[in-house]
């Protein structure tokens, strides 16, 4: 039989879930609890499978998400996840067909962009995605951190307490909403995200749920930060060689962020703190007396963005200076291309189709890399991804788009 691409019905869900697990090199099993949870969370119109003689051999799903852009506004995006093609069916265009279906539907729904976390770098550029945020991870040698382990209490007048998973589910969503308006690149979390993150629901292939949750409260009692972490228990010759692995740490103030990292670095018996995915320009190393105690273990692209509505995206974010630039955006898929006049400033922006001569020409993926402010147009021009027709247009684009702090997406999805 020929390969069939179609949406996944309720009766197909178990086979689809097994294909997802297989594609991600997990055991090809799923439980009734897994299926019940997926059934409550999936949209049959946005869940795709490729079928060969009735067997699912490739998977794809998307779900609604909000992305925080520069200035704090949320824009609606199409979050792409669970993308797999079994090794037996590679190089047959299955992903291309599913992606085309989903992006076309997202455009028709009015989503401003699509987002994903790329497992491999070379895959998604051909679909118009570009890396919009990067991430770094550190390992902190607590003995070298330069912090005084005798003074673990925050210096800012606040306090740190432990919280139960149920308590985290209570205050966590509000804290995250206050956090994400401050961080371009951050994305929304739904109720089911909090259930899995706190161990209330654990699917077959989820990591261990034995976590501790530390909360920072300001002097007024307001919750301003949360760290969730687990221990790796290891002893040698009756001496502790333990590590704390941070799953997530968010904070709405530098005081809260500093206090949580200093707390983690002062826990008895913990020799190393593994930070997990952080912003590449994170303040963390400089919270330590010796920043070299934080050694980079990973630095990589993270959130990828695919513009679907260029005017809506460019009008949603803020700009530090007043300027205009004409952009020629090339999009082989025909979803978001065109020539646009961006007239922007601190008071707001308009982005409209124009017949004026292009001043900068770039692909839709390059626009994605510029949009959240993470890279500079002059840098992409040096790499051959942006072409300047009017002298000075690159400098104008950098003044408008580039940001002082790098964007960051804390979440895997």
């Amino acid at each position: 039989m020929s390969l069939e691409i179609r949406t996944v019905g309720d009766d197909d869900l178990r086979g689809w879930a097994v294909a997802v697990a297989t594609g991600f090199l997990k055991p090809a099993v799923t439980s009734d609890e897994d299926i019940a949870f997926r059934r409550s969370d999936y949209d049959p119109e946005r869940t795709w499978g490729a079928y060969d003689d009735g067997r699912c051999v490739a998977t794809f799903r998307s779900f609604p998400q909000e992305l925080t852009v520069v200035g704090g506004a949320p824009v609606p995006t199409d979050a792409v996840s669970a993308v797999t093609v079994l090794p037996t069916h590679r190089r047959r265009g299955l992903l291309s067909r599913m992606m085309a279906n989903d992006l076309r539907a997202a455009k028709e729904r009015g989503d401003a962009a699509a987002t994903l976390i790329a497992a491999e770098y070379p895959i998604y550029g051909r679909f118009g995605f570009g890396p919009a945020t990067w991430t770094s991870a550190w390992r902190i040698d607590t003995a070298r951190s330069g912090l005084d382990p005798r003074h673990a209490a925050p210096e800012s007048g606040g306090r740190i307490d432990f919280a139960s998973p149920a308590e985290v589910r209570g205050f966590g969503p509000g804290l995250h909403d206050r956090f994400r308006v401050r961080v371009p690149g951050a994305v929304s979390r739904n109720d089911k995200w909090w259930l899995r993150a706190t161990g209330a629901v654990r699917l077959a292939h989820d990591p261990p749920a034995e976590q501790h949750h530390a909360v920072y409260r300001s002097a007024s009692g307001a919750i301003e930060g949360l760290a969730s972490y687990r221990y790796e228990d290891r002893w040698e010759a009756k001496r502790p060689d333990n590590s704390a692995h941070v799953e997530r740490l968010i904070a709405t103030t530098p005081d809260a962020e500093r206090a949580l990292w200093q707390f983690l670095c002062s826990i008895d018996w913990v020799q190393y703190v593994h930070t997990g995915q952080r912003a590449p320009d994170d303040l963390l190393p400089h919270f330590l007396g010796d920043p070299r105690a934080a050694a980079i273990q990973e630095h990589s692209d993270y959130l990828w963005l695919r513009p679907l509505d260029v005017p809506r995206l460019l009008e949603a974010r803020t700009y530090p200076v007043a300027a205009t630039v004409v952009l020629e955006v090339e999009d082989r898929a025909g979803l978001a291309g065109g020539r646009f006049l961006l007239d922007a400033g601190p008071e707001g922006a308009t982005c409209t189709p124009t017949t004026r001569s292009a001043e900068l020409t770039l692909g839709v993926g390059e626009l994605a890399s510029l949009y959240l402010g993470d890279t500079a147009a002059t840098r992409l021009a040096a790499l051959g991804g942006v072409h300047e027709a009017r002298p000075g247009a690159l400098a104008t684009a950098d003044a408008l788009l580039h940001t002082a702090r790098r964007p960051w997406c804390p979440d895997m999805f």
Side-chain angles (χ1 to χ4, degrees):
M1 295 178 64
S2 61
L3 290 168
E4 178 188 15
I5 302 289
R6 59 176 171 81
T7 55
V8 175
D10 187 76
D11 292 342
D12 302 316
L13 197 53
R14 185 178 296 273
W16 184 89
V18 168
V20 171
T22 304
F24 283 112
L25 308 185
K26 306 294 185 183
V29 296
T30 188
S31 67
D32 291 341
E33 291 78 13
D34 288 7
I35 298 305
F37 186 80
R38 288 187 183 277
R39 184 173 288 120
S40 70
D41 193 41
Y42 99 113
D43 183 341
E45 297 301 315
R46 300 178 67 162
T47 306
W48 294 86
Y51 290 85
D52 185 355
D53 198 20
R55 179 170 179 261
C56 187
V57 297
T59 64
F60 188 110
R61 74 177 285 253
S62 68
F63 59 93
Q65 187 184 74
E66 286 186 344
L67 171 71
T68 301
V69 305
V70 178
V75 297
T77 56
D78 176 58
V80 173
S81 185
V83 177
T84 73
V85 178
L86 297 193
T88 54
H89 287 72
R90 298 172 66 236
R91 303 292 183 266
R92 303 191 193 184
L94 302 181
L95 171 57
S96 296
R97 291 166 63 186
M98 292 188 293
M99 181 69 78
N101 290 342
D102 186 76
L103 293 180
R104 184 168 54 250
K107 174 78 173 180
E108 292 172 356
R109 274 195 309 270
D111 290 333
T115 55
L116 56 81
I117 309 295
E120 296 181 65
Y121 193 98
I123 296 175
Y124 294 101
R126 59 196 167 109
F127 303 119
F129 287 84
T133 78
W134 288 64
T135 186
S136 296
W138 286 266
R139 187 187 75 164
I140 304 170
D141 184 340
T142 61
R144 293 188 53 197
S145 67
L147 301 176
D148 187 345
R150 298 170 300 174
H151 300 93
E155 301 171 357
S156 53
R159 59 180 289 170
I160 290 178
D161 298 304
F162 286 112
S164 70
E167 290 172 326
V168 171
R169 289 192 293 274
F171 68 75
L175 172 65
H176 179 257
D177 285 342
R178 297 192 299 276
F179 158 80
R180 71 181 174 107
V181 299
R182 301 164 51 91
V183 182
V187 296
S188 54
R189 298 171 175 175
N190 61 24
D191 291 342
K192 291 181 172 57
W193 186 97
W194 289 97
L195 290 173
R196 291 183 70 182
T198 58
V201 171
R202 185 166 181 267
L203 305 186
H205 305 303
D206 282 349
E210 295 80 12
Q211 295 182 82
H212 300 267
H213 305 283
V215 180
Y216 174 85
R217 288 182 170 85
S218 68
S220 67
I223 294 177
E224 294 181 348
L226 170 66
S228 300
Y229 60 96
R230 58 182 174 83
Y231 293 117
E232 181 184 352
D233 189 20
R234 182 176 182 273
W235 290 69
E236 185 173 345
K238 292 188 69 69
R239 299 182 61 185
D241 192 27
N242 299 310
S243 295
H245 293 262
V246 178
E247 305 288 346
R248 292 165 296 279
L249 190 154
I250 60 172
T252 59
T253 65
D255 281 345
E257 194 174 351
R258 180 192 299 271
L260 286 168
W261 285 119
Q262 291 184 345
F263 164 76
L264 290 164
C265 290
S266 67
I267 298 173
D268 290 339
W269 298 353
V270 170
Q271 307 302 303
Y272 300 100
V273 174
H274 297 260
T275 68
Q277 306 292 344
R278 307 295 303 168
D281 63 346
D282 203 271
L283 299 175
L284 164 63
H286 301 282
F287 289 146
L288 310 176
D290 181 356
R292 293 185 185 181
I296 290 181
Q297 304 294 294
E298 180 181 336
H299 176 73
S300 180
D301 58 284
Y302 201 67
L303 180 76
W304 287 57
L305 186 68
R306 205 289 182 201
L308 294 172
D309 187 336
V310 171
R312 187 174 184 183
L313 281 177
L314 291 176
E315 291 178 351
R317 58 159 288 172
T318 59
Y319 300 87
V321 297
T324 62
V325 64
V326 179
L327 304 173
E328 181 81 36
V329 180
E330 298 175 338
D331 185 355
R332 288 183 297 177
L335 295 171
R339 186 176 301 170
F340 304 97
L341 171 63
L342 174 62
D343 185 357
E347 303 305 316
T350 60
C351 182
T352 54
T354 183
T355 58
R356 288 173 50 173
S357 297
E359 298 172 340
L360 288 181
T361 300
L362 69 167
V364 69
E366 283 70 31
L367 178 61
S369 294
L370 293 174
Y371 178 64
L372 293 176
D374 191 56
T375 192
T378 50
R379 188 171 187 272
L380 290 185
L383 294 168
V386 177
H387 303 281
E388 182 183 52
R390 174 182 65 80
L394 285 170
T396 299
D398 284 343
L400 285 171
L401 297 169
H402 201 37
T403 55
R405 291 293 304 274
R406 299 184 70 174
W408 175 43
C409 179
D411 291 341
M412 173 70 71
F413 56 90

